[in-house]
Amino acid sequence: MDTFAEQLVVKPMTPADQAKKFGLIAATGILCLGLAYLSVMVMPLILLVVCAVAYGGYFLVTGMNVEYEYSVTNGELDVDKIIAKRKRKHMLTVKIAEFETFGLESEAKFDNNITTFLVGDGDEAHYYAADFQHEGMGLVRLVFSPNERILEAIRPSLKRGLR
């Protein structure tokens, strides 16, 4: 029987992200106003530059909106990063049967030698951690926040000791 489940998770804005967004908006606004003031002298060229700066600012600010998509298909977990709903970046694919550990992140043992991917929704109470061996990065810990549907799709593919 084929299994398929997917979930979109919106990355929350941290205070640092909000400060960057505010700084970008302020810098774009100041630059546009300054260039508009100069447009009195060289009207057509500066007006074109103002439009380009405004679009560039919009592009950068909306590019800070990030979502993660988890999809479980026949025993494989795919994680993709979606930037501003216009660009998709594949992060990793792993066979669920290769998980060495799986469970709540709060119960996982901390280890400095593990490469960690945090792809969650900001609510740390229901983060899950999965440790597995990756051919390029060595031992990897994926920290993510699956919903119940994703968990139900993961459980049948886990090793017996992890269920």
Side-chain angles (χ1 to χ4, degrees):
M1 180 171 83
D2 292 339
T3 59
F4 178 75
E6 68 180 355
Q7 174 188 3
L8 277 176
V9 174
V10 178
K11 179 186 174 224
M13 294 292 281
T14 63
D17 291 339
Q18 291 174 343
K20 287 178 193 173
K21 197 176 241 187
F22 176 76
L24 277 170
I25 291 170
T28 301
I30 290 169
L31 193 56
C32 284
L33 287 175
L35 289 171
Y37 180 74
L38 290 176
S39 71
V40 175
M41 298 173 202
V42 190
M43 179 78 163
L45 181 62
I46 298 293
L47 202 53
L48 186 64
V49 172
V50 168
C51 290
V53 167
Y55 179 74
Y58 168 78
F59 190 81
L60 290 173
V61 167
T62 58
M64 296 178 76
N65 299 331
V66 175
E67 298 175 335
Y68 297 105
E69 180 186 55
Y70 316 138
S71 59
V72 178
T73 309
N74 296 330
E76 282 191 347
L77 174 66
D78 291 318
V79 179
D80 294 333
K81 182 178 184 178
I82 303 170
I83 303 165
K85 295 184 181 178
R86 64 176 167 245
K87 183 178 171 186
R88 177 182 293 262
K89 180 181 175 188
H90 180 73
M91 293 184 71
L92 68 97
T93 299
V94 62
K95 290 187 183 296
I96 297 169
E98 295 176 0
F99 285 176
E100 295 174 11
T101 63
F102 180 75
L104 285 172
E105 199 264 337
S106 59
E107 299 168 359
K109 295 177 182 169
F110 183 73
D111 188 356
N112 287 334
N113 299 325
I114 296 180
T115 304
T116 303
F117 285 104
L118 174 61
V119 289
D121 62 2
D123 185 9
E124 296 178 14
H126 68 277
Y127 275 174
Y128 280 77
D131 294 343
F132 55 92
Q133 200 68 29
H134 189 270
E135 56 194 44
M137 293 179 270
L139 190 58
V140 174
R141 173 170 290 159
L142 173 66
V143 180
F144 64 118
S145 52
N147 60 15
E148 199 57 41
R149 187 167 174 218
I150 296 289
L151 287 173
E152 287 174 11
I154 288 174
R155 282 189 186 112
S157 300
L158 288 170
K159 295 177 186 173
R160 284 198 183 271
L162 298 178
R163 291 184 196 161

